[in-house]
Amino acid sequence: MKNIALLGSTGSIGRQTLEIVSAHREEFSVRLLTCNRNIKLLSKQIMEFKPEYAVVCDRAAFENISKENIKVKLLYGDKGILEALGSIDLDIVVNALVGISGMTPTRRSIELGADVALANKETLVTAGKLIMADAAKMDVEILPVDSEHNAILQCLNGEKKEYLKNLILTASGGPFWGMSSNELEKVTIADALAHPNWKMGKKITIDSATMMNKGFEVLEAKWLFGVDFDKIKVVVHRQSIVHSMVEFEDGSVIAQMSNPDMKLPIGYVLFKGERRPLGLSPLDLSKIGTLTFEEPDMEVFPCLGYAYESGRIGGTYPVALNAANEVLVDAFLSGAIGFTDIQNNIRDILDTHKSIKNPDYESIIETDHITRKLMTDKLRNR
Ligand code: MN3
């Protein structure tokens, strides 16, 4: 029996994780569930999975959750997550939190000796170097849940790293692929939220539309697999059937394919590489017919290039990139700014950021705060 903590249990990844767990009750014991503010679903999950702890991160939601009928130790906020993690014996922590608030729980899980199934991007985008070093020190695994990194993990299985030539991340291109810069200026929130292949949370859907998401994935790949930026390529693959590839020195390119369904990577990490049946619809290639691959357009979608740029300079540049992006995506979703304002403002932040070399966790969090405030003030004073 594996003891699981599931951070972000009411989101898309969280719900799909619980679907797999519920089909394998004899193998997993859910010890901790957390949500931001969806207390209705959390209460249902608590009744079904009977964890020892539950955490609600939003203050108002925490005060509104009915504490009478649920038998669980209920805690509040980011501190509550850390307290709960430290109070139970865990084999694996599934971190599906959104935003940089997911970084410290990853760090804590590693300290506690638990493997981390990582769906939170910001952990590696902002603190990849420190996190991977800590994981190595504690001999715990960081298992990528994201479909691209999970695909690479699968392609690298049994291979010698010395013969790895390139990692090739696939990108769907999002809803605006093929548009010109002018057309991009006129898109609406609804347009941006209509992703062609994946149903995901709002933040990541907007990041897919700007291709910042792919940029973050390049940064994550660098730390997860210890590969230089020059060896991390991106190709636009509209069908989202090939989830990523690895090119080897002998000329072979190994790809991992499936219908786009996050249950596959979640299952692969939960079962530690065992390919259990997950109830996915079979991949019918003759029905799909054509798989296409194109160069990414870095002029219309400069965020991908900004991510490479921030990663190559290093220091706290990726932290500033991420923080500014979070503020800008929020502003876009609230209707305060247009779609292309996201990329334009990120350019400004990269041009003006005062980076710290080899930042520790504290300076990463501080840079995040400072950049958010800068960006928020800038938007307010427009
Ligand atoms: Mn992805």
Side-chain angles (χ1 to χ4, degrees), residues 13 27 30 44 50 64 98 100 109 121 124 174 203 230 260 270 297 301 316 319 324 327 329:
I13 299 285
E27 292 180 67
V30 177
K44 252 171 112 179
K50 303 184 173 54
N64 285 333
V98 178
I100 196 169
S109 304
K121 302 215 163 204
L124 293 178
K203 163 73 169 48
D230 295 340
L270 285 183
D297 184 341
F301 300 95
T316 46
V319 184
V327 173
V329 170

mmCIF file of all heavy atoms in Angstrom, residues 13 27 30 44 50 64 98 100 109 121 124 174 203 230 260 270 297 301 316 319 324 327 329:
data_model
loop_
_atom_site.group_PDB
_atom_site.id
_atom_site.type_symbol
_atom_site.label_atom_id
_atom_site.label_comp_id
_atom_site.label_asym_id
_atom_site.label_seq_id
_atom_site.Cartn_x
_atom_site.Cartn_y
_atom_site.Cartn_z
ATOM 1 N N ILE A 13 -5.877 17.722 -12.913
ATOM 2 C CA ILE A 13 -4.939 16.630 -12.620
ATOM 3 C C ILE A 13 -5.347 15.894 -11.344
ATOM 4 O O ILE A 13 -5.304 14.662 -11.278
ATOM 5 C CB ILE A 13 -3.491 17.182 -12.447
ATOM 6 C CG1 ILE A 13 -3.004 17.855 -13.733
ATOM 7 C CG2 ILE A 13 -2.525 16.095 -11.994
ATOM 8 C CD1 ILE A 13 -2.632 16.922 -14.846
ATOM 9 N N GLU A 27 -4.161 -0.568 -3.570
ATOM 10 C CA GLU A 27 -2.754 -0.179 -3.715
ATOM 11 C C GLU A 27 -2.408 1.184 -3.145
ATOM 12 O O GLU A 27 -1.249 1.485 -2.898
ATOM 13 C CB GLU A 27 -2.353 -0.203 -5.197
ATOM 14 C CG GLU A 27 -2.327 -1.600 -5.767
ATOM 15 C CD GLU A 27 -1.931 -1.594 -7.228
ATOM 16 O OE1 GLU A 27 -0.779 -1.253 -7.520
ATOM 17 O OE2 GLU A 27 -2.792 -1.908 -8.068
ATOM 18 N N VAL A 30 -5.029 7.327 0.349
ATOM 19 C CA VAL A 30 -4.943 8.787 0.253
ATOM 20 C C VAL A 30 -4.910 9.358 1.666
ATOM 21 O O VAL A 30 -5.842 9.178 2.446
ATOM 22 C CB VAL A 30 -6.152 9.352 -0.529
ATOM 23 C CG1 VAL A 30 -6.084 10.872 -0.565
ATOM 24 C CG2 VAL A 30 -6.176 8.798 -1.950
ATOM 25 N N LYS A 44 -16.776 16.105 -0.904
ATOM 26 C CA LYS A 44 -17.145 14.830 -1.528
ATOM 27 C C LYS A 44 -15.950 13.869 -1.557
ATOM 28 O O LYS A 44 -16.065 12.687 -1.259
ATOM 29 C CB LYS A 44 -17.579 15.090 -2.982
ATOM 30 C CG LYS A 44 -19.065 14.940 -3.216
ATOM 31 C CD LYS A 44 -19.417 15.421 -4.598
ATOM 32 C CE LYS A 44 -19.869 14.322 -5.527
ATOM 33 N NZ LYS A 44 -20.219 14.885 -6.861
ATOM 34 N N LYS A 50 -11.471 9.322 2.486
ATOM 35 C CA LYS A 50 -11.162 9.303 3.923
ATOM 36 C C LYS A 50 -9.691 9.585 4.253
ATOM 37 O O LYS A 50 -9.020 8.771 4.897
ATOM 38 C CB LYS A 50 -11.580 7.962 4.524
ATOM 39 C CG LYS A 50 -13.061 7.676 4.292
ATOM 40 C CD LYS A 50 -13.499 6.408 4.973
ATOM 41 C CE LYS A 50 -14.995 6.224 4.874
ATOM 42 N NZ LYS A 50 -15.537 6.272 3.484
ATOM 43 N N ASN A 64 -16.020 28.675 5.299
ATOM 44 C CA ASN A 64 -17.354 28.215 4.900
ATOM 45 C C ASN A 64 -17.531 26.704 4.872
ATOM 46 O O ASN A 64 -18.654 26.222 4.823
ATOM 47 C CB ASN A 64 -17.696 28.753 3.504
ATOM 48 C CG ASN A 64 -18.042 30.221 3.559
ATOM 49 O OD1 ASN A 64 -18.501 30.716 4.586
ATOM 50 N ND2 ASN A 64 -17.793 30.918 2.469
ATOM 51 N N VAL A 98 -1.190 25.002 -8.597
ATOM 52 C CA VAL A 98 -0.934 25.945 -9.677
ATOM 53 C C VAL A 98 -0.205 27.151 -9.103
ATOM 54 O O VAL A 98 -0.606 27.686 -8.075
ATOM 55 C CB VAL A 98 -2.253 26.396 -10.343
ATOM 56 C CG1 VAL A 98 -1.978 27.416 -11.449
ATOM 57 C CG2 VAL A 98 -2.998 25.203 -10.918
ATOM 58 N N ILE A 100 3.528 29.466 -8.097
ATOM 59 C CA ILE A 100 4.780 29.296 -7.353
ATOM 60 C C ILE A 100 4.526 28.813 -5.935
ATOM 61 O O ILE A 100 5.439 28.309 -5.272
ATOM 62 C CB ILE A 100 5.620 30.600 -7.369
ATOM 63 C CG1 ILE A 100 7.056 30.296 -6.958
ATOM 64 C CG2 ILE A 100 4.959 31.674 -6.527
ATOM 65 C CD1 ILE A 100 8.035 31.399 -7.175
ATOM 66 N N SER A 109 8.408 18.056 0.648
ATOM 67 C CA SER A 109 8.201 16.629 0.377
ATOM 68 C C SER A 109 9.535 15.920 0.192
ATOM 69 O O SER A 109 9.733 14.804 0.675
ATOM 70 C CB SER A 109 7.351 16.438 -0.890
ATOM 71 O OG SER A 109 6.131 17.128 -0.783
ATOM 72 N N LYS A 121 4.359 23.342 -12.385
ATOM 73 C CA LYS A 121 5.467 23.750 -13.264
ATOM 74 C C LYS A 121 6.454 24.656 -12.560
ATOM 75 O O LYS A 121 7.660 24.619 -12.796
ATOM 76 C CB LYS A 121 4.915 24.552 -14.440
ATOM 77 C CG LYS A 121 3.920 23.781 -15.208
ATOM 78 C CD LYS A 121 3.969 24.084 -16.670
ATOM 79 C CE LYS A 121 3.233 22.953 -17.321
ATOM 80 N NZ LYS A 121 3.552 22.684 -18.649
ATOM 81 N N LEU A 124 10.032 23.708 -10.855
ATOM 82 C CA LEU A 124 11.283 23.556 -11.608
ATOM 83 C C LEU A 124 11.634 24.800 -12.415
ATOM 84 O O LEU A 124 12.801 25.090 -12.654
ATOM 85 C CB LEU A 124 11.215 22.329 -12.520
ATOM 86 C CG LEU A 124 11.168 20.986 -11.786
ATOM 87 C CD1 LEU A 124 11.054 19.845 -12.787
ATOM 88 C CD2 LEU A 124 12.390 20.779 -10.907
ATOM 89 N N GLY A 174 -1.488 25.613 -29.611
ATOM 90 C CA GLY A 174 -2.620 26.320 -29.006
ATOM 91 C C GLY A 174 -3.619 26.807 -30.037
ATOM 92 O O GLY A 174 -3.501 26.521 -31.228
ATOM 93 N N LYS A 203 -5.276 29.011 -16.247
ATOM 94 C CA LYS A 203 -3.937 29.591 -16.308
ATOM 95 C C LYS A 203 -3.089 28.884 -17.366
ATOM 96 O O LYS A 203 -2.491 29.519 -18.247
ATOM 97 C CB LYS A 203 -3.279 29.484 -14.915
ATOM 98 C CG LYS A 203 -1.770 29.651 -14.865
ATOM 99 C CD LYS A 203 -1.345 31.085 -15.084
ATOM 100 C CE LYS A 203 0.121 31.382 -14.798
ATOM 101 N NZ LYS A 203 1.132 30.509 -15.360
ATOM 102 N N ASP A 230 20.781 24.048 -25.601
ATOM 103 C CA ASP A 230 21.028 23.808 -27.026
ATOM 104 C C ASP A 230 20.496 22.448 -27.480
ATOM 105 O O ASP A 230 20.299 22.216 -28.669
ATOM 106 C CB ASP A 230 22.535 23.860 -27.313
ATOM 107 C CG ASP A 230 23.083 25.252 -27.060
ATOM 108 O OD1 ASP A 230 22.270 26.206 -27.052
ATOM 109 O OD2 ASP A 230 24.300 25.388 -26.854
ATOM 110 N N PRO A 260 -4.476 12.202 -26.582
ATOM 111 C CA PRO A 260 -4.194 13.143 -25.500
ATOM 112 C C PRO A 260 -5.094 12.886 -24.298
ATOM 113 O O PRO A 260 -6.290 13.133 -24.352
ATOM 114 C CB PRO A 260 -4.468 14.524 -26.128
ATOM 115 C CG PRO A 260 -5.236 14.272 -27.377
ATOM 116 C CD PRO A 260 -4.988 12.868 -27.797
ATOM 117 N N LEU A 270 2.323 7.030 -11.068
ATOM 118 C CA LEU A 270 1.748 6.379 -9.875
ATOM 119 C C LEU A 270 2.171 4.921 -9.792
ATOM 120 O O LEU A 270 2.441 4.398 -8.721
ATOM 121 C CB LEU A 270 0.219 6.463 -9.880
ATOM 122 C CG LEU A 270 -0.429 7.801 -9.545
ATOM 123 C CD1 LEU A 270 -1.949 7.653 -9.540
ATOM 124 C CD2 LEU A 270 0.050 8.344 -8.203
ATOM 125 N N ASP A 297 6.904 29.390 -34.457
ATOM 126 C CA ASP A 297 7.038 30.756 -34.942
ATOM 127 C C ASP A 297 7.342 31.673 -33.756
ATOM 128 O O ASP A 297 6.452 32.103 -33.038
ATOM 129 C CB ASP A 297 5.712 31.167 -35.603
ATOM 130 C CG ASP A 297 5.783 32.551 -36.224
ATOM 131 O OD1 ASP A 297 6.693 33.339 -35.858
ATOM 132 O OD2 ASP A 297 4.921 32.853 -37.070
ATOM 133 N N PHE A 301 4.964 34.305 -31.589
ATOM 134 C CA PHE A 301 4.869 33.783 -30.222
ATOM 135 C C PHE A 301 6.216 33.913 -29.505
ATOM 136 O O PHE A 301 6.906 32.920 -29.284
ATOM 137 C CB PHE A 301 4.409 32.327 -30.236
ATOM 138 C CG PHE A 301 3.060 32.130 -30.879
ATOM 139 C CD1 PHE A 301 2.956 31.768 -32.221
ATOM 140 C CD2 PHE A 301 1.898 32.336 -30.155
ATOM 141 C CE1 PHE A 301 1.714 31.603 -32.820
ATOM 142 C CE2 PHE A 301 0.649 32.177 -30.750
ATOM 143 C CZ PHE A 301 0.551 31.812 -32.080
ATOM 144 N N THR A 316 17.973 34.738 -11.405
ATOM 145 C CA THR A 316 16.541 34.827 -11.093
ATOM 146 C C THR A 316 15.705 35.242 -12.301
ATOM 147 O O THR A 316 14.518 35.548 -12.154
ATOM 148 C CB THR A 316 16.294 35.825 -9.932
ATOM 149 O OG1 THR A 316 17.045 37.016 -10.190
ATOM 150 C CG2 THR A 316 16.704 35.248 -8.600
ATOM 151 N N VAL A 319 12.598 33.255 -12.657
ATOM 152 C CA VAL A 319 11.660 33.580 -11.572
ATOM 153 C C VAL A 319 10.858 34.825 -11.935
ATOM 154 O O VAL A 319 9.631 34.880 -11.781
ATOM 155 C CB VAL A 319 12.419 33.827 -10.241
ATOM 156 C CG1 VAL A 319 11.432 34.066 -9.102
ATOM 157 C CG2 VAL A 319 13.359 32.676 -9.927
ATOM 158 N N ALA A 324 5.996 37.656 -13.526
ATOM 159 C CA ALA A 324 5.357 38.630 -14.403
ATOM 160 C C ALA A 324 4.245 37.960 -15.198
ATOM 161 O O ALA A 324 3.141 38.499 -15.338
ATOM 162 C CB ALA A 324 6.393 39.235 -15.350
ATOM 163 N N VAL A 327 1.004 37.413 -13.145
ATOM 164 C CA VAL A 327 0.240 38.654 -12.979
ATOM 165 C C VAL A 327 -0.453 39.017 -14.293
ATOM 166 O O VAL A 327 -1.630 39.396 -14.311
ATOM 167 C CB VAL A 327 1.178 39.799 -12.525
ATOM 168 C CG1 VAL A 327 0.438 41.136 -12.524
ATOM 169 C CG2 VAL A 327 1.764 39.502 -11.147
ATOM 170 N N VAL A 329 -1.288 37.059 -16.888
ATOM 171 C CA VAL A 329 -2.358 36.139 -17.274
ATOM 172 C C VAL A 329 -3.620 36.432 -16.456
ATOM 173 O O VAL A 329 -4.730 36.469 -16.992
ATOM 174 C CB VAL A 329 -1.914 34.659 -17.113
ATOM 175 C CG1 VAL A 329 -3.096 33.709 -17.276
ATOM 176 C CG2 VAL A 329 -0.837 34.324 -18.131
#
